[in-house]
């Protein structure tokens, strides 16, 4: 099969992805073999490719928003049929026995593993996934639509819950890419007033189209104090900006896996009045199931821009440059 490999992490302008030929992977006893039909392009793929995240698997194939069909299964797998459509997401493995897993916080498992970082992902014709971490997907929608939901949507949903937005509350979203524009749809459906703060004019237009109460530059103040805010842009300089926009008792959740350095915080202006700063680490499978149910209930859909799988490097370059709103999705044109 053909697959994209991170030959040497570095700026996407220097083409660190290489197209390689590999054997079709053989699923382990507990794994599914998945024929990839579509794969979302996530900012985390960019972090893996450019080396913002440490190398876990040399030459890894990125991609963890995979929509495909079951092409085979290990001897221990039950309940999946060949040809059934499934989703493969970021969280790939947890030990199920540590204190975090046992208390329902498997996202904090010290032995967790991730698709497209610890194991080869969906920028390929085939990938594998432990059956217990695959999501069953309905057959009524096309392959492109569900792809961004499998990471951008799930992580945005967890970030929204970490932000502790009160009913009918005022929510600020800093950055408005794939994850934020899905999170906004859930928050709006639940009755929030959403204010978007982002650098891109196209992203601001999309925010207003989706129903945001306002859309301004990332460093502007929103038109009203915020009960909660989520930082999606991987820009540490925005942390104090967002904290200052919070009302008393407000919460800022930082949603990314990577963030540039945060400047010094001023206690009186940034943190006083019981403001809270929280991180977001991956997700649980229950987060994924809950989000996919809400997405179906509220008609949450990504604004998608498709690229052929053969054009994966160009999609990552466009993501890095902010050339599209919403989310990019690779469509398998190899097989």
């Amino acid at each position: 099969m053909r697959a994209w490999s991170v030959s040497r992490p570095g700026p996407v302008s220097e083409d660190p992805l290489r197209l390689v030929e590999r054997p079709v992977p053989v699923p382990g006893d507990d794994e599914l073999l998945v024929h990839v039909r579509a794969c979302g392009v996530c900012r985390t793929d960019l972090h893996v490719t450019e080396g913002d995240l440490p190398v876990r698997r040399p030459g890894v194939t990125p991609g963890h928003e995979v929509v495909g069909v079951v092409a085979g299964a290990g001897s221990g797998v039950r309940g999946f049929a060949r040809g059934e459509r499934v989703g493969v997401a970021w969280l790939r493995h947890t030990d199920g026995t540590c204190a975090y897993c046992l208390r329902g916080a498997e996202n904090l498992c010290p032995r967790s593993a991730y698709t497209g970082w610890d194991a080869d992902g969906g920028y390929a014709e085939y990938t594998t996934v432990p059956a217990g971490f695959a999501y069953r997907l309905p057959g009524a929608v096309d392959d492109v639509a569900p792809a961004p939901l499998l990471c951008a949507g799930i992580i945005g949903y967890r970030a929204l819950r970490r932000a502790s937005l009160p009913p009918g509350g005022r929510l600020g979203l800093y950055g408005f890419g794939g994850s934020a524009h899905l999170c906004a749809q859930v928050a709006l459906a639940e009755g929030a007033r959403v204010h978007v703060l982002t650098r891109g004019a196209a992203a601001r237009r999309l925010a207003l189209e989706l129903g945001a109460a306002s859309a301004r530059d990332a460093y502007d103040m929103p038109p009203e104090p915020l009960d909660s805010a989520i930082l999606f842009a991987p820009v540490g300089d925005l942390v104090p900006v967002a904290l200052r926009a919070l009302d008393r008792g407000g919460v800022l959740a930082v949603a990314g896996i990577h963030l540039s350095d945060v400047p010094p915080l001023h206690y009186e202006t940034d943190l006083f009045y019981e403001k809270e700063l929280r991180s977001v680490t991956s997700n649980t499978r229950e987060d994924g199931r809950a989000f996919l149910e809400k997405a179906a209930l509220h008609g949450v859909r990504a604004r998608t821009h498709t690229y052929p799988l053969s054009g994966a490097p160009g999609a990552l370059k466009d993501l890095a440059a902010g050339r599209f709103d919403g989310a990019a999705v690779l469509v398998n044109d190899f097989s």
Side-chain angles (χ1 to χ4, degrees), residues 240-295:
V241 174
L243 286 169
R244 289 167 198 157
L246 292 176
D247 204 350
R248 299 179 182 212
V251 176
L252 170 62
V254 179
I257 192 173
H258 170 77
L259 187 70
S260 62
D261 289 344
V262 178
L265 299 177
H266 189 273
Y267 180 67
E268 184 176 353
T269 58
D270 300 341
L271 289 170
F272 198 54
Y273 296 119
E274 299 192 351
K275 296 179 182 181
E276 295 184 47
L277 174 61
R278 299 177 179 176
S279 65
V280 178
T281 299
S282 185
N283 62 275
T284 67
R285 282 171 283 178
E286 182 53 37
D287 292 328
R289 290 187 285 266
F291 168 71
L292 291 173
E293 288 178 7
K294 283 189 176 290

Side-chain angles (χ1 to χ4, degrees), residues 94-126:
T94 57
D95 63 24
T97 60
C98 70
Y100 304 101
C101 287
L102 293 177
R103 75 183 195 209
E106 67 178 0
N107 60 305
L108 301 179
C109 176
R111 284 170 286 280
S112 57
Y114 301 94
T115 308
W117 190 20
D118 294 291
D120 290 330
Y123 286 25
E125 294 181 70
Y126 291 88

Side-chain angles (χ1 to χ4, degrees), residues 9-72:
V12 289
S13 60
E14 298 177 7
D15 294 316
L17 284 183
R18 291 287 182 270
L19 188 60
V20 299
E21 293 275 348
R22 288 178 175 162
V24 173
V26 176
D29 288 347
D30 65 340
E31 292 182 339
L32 300 173
L33 174 65
V34 178
H35 181 207
V36 176
R37 287 184 171 176
C39 184
V41 179
C42 180
R43 187 163 290 277
T44 302
D45 301 335
L46 189 62
H47 295 320
V48 169
T49 301
E50 294 199 314
D52 296 325
L53 297 179
V55 174
R56 295 274 193 93
R57 179 181 177 87
V60 71
T61 294
H64 56 274
E65 295 179 334
V66 182
V67 175
V69 295
V70 176

Side-chain angles (χ1 to χ4, degrees), residues 57-271:
R57 179 181 177 87
V60 71
T61 294
H64 56 274
E65 295 179 334
V66 182
V67 175
V69 295
V70 176
S75 59
V77 175
R78 300 290 183 271
F80 286 90
R82 185 179 290 269
E84 182 177 354
R85 191 159 69 155
V86 294
V88 181
W90 176 237
L91 184 66
R92 179 186 179 84
H93 168 80
T94 57
D95 63 24
T97 60
C98 70
Y100 304 101
C101 287
L102 293 177
R103 75 183 195 209
E106 67 178 0
N107 60 305
L108 301 179
C109 176
R111 284 170 286 280
S112 57
Y114 301 94
T115 308
W117 190 20
D118 294 291
D120 290 330
Y123 286 25
E125 294 181 70
Y126 291 88
T127 191
T128 61
V129 61
F133 288 80
Y135 291 94
R136 298 180 188 274
L137 298 177
V141 293
D142 63 33
D143 295 320
V144 170
L149 306 186
L150 291 165
C151 179
I154 294 171
I155 291 297
Y157 177 77
R158 183 168 185 87
L160 182 60
R161 296 295 168 246
R162 289 283 292 161
S164 297
L165 181 68
R170 302 158 296 177
L171 174 67
L173 301 179
Y174 287 81
F176 204 68
S179 192
H181 89 294
L182 293 168
C183 174
Q185 293 175 59
V186 175
L188 288 164
E190 294 179 343
R193 283 176 56 80
V194 175
H195 300 285
V196 170
L197 301 112
T198 190
R199 64 179 182 175
R204 292 195 293 269
R205 287 194 297 271
L206 175 59
L208 295 174
E209 289 173 16
L210 292 174
S214 72
R216 299 183 175 184
D217 184 78
Y219 290 88
D220 289 344
M221 289 295 288
E224 59 182 338
L226 305 172
D227 297 301
S228 303
I230 304 172
L231 177 58
F232 287 102
V235 182
D237 284 348
L238 287 173
V239 169
V241 174
L243 286 169
R244 289 167 198 157
L246 292 176
D247 204 350
R248 299 179 182 212
V251 176
L252 170 62
V254 179
I257 192 173
H258 170 77
L259 187 70
S260 62
D261 289 344
V262 178
L265 299 177
H266 189 273
Y267 180 67
E268 184 176 353
T269 58
D270 300 341
L271 289 170

Side-chain angles (χ1 to χ4, degrees), residues 311-335:
L316 281 178
K317 289 175 183 176
D318 287 351
L319 173 63
R323 294 192 182 104
F324 54 79
D325 57 4
V329 179
L330 304 175
V331 177
N332 187 353
D333 60 331
F334 290 147
S335 63

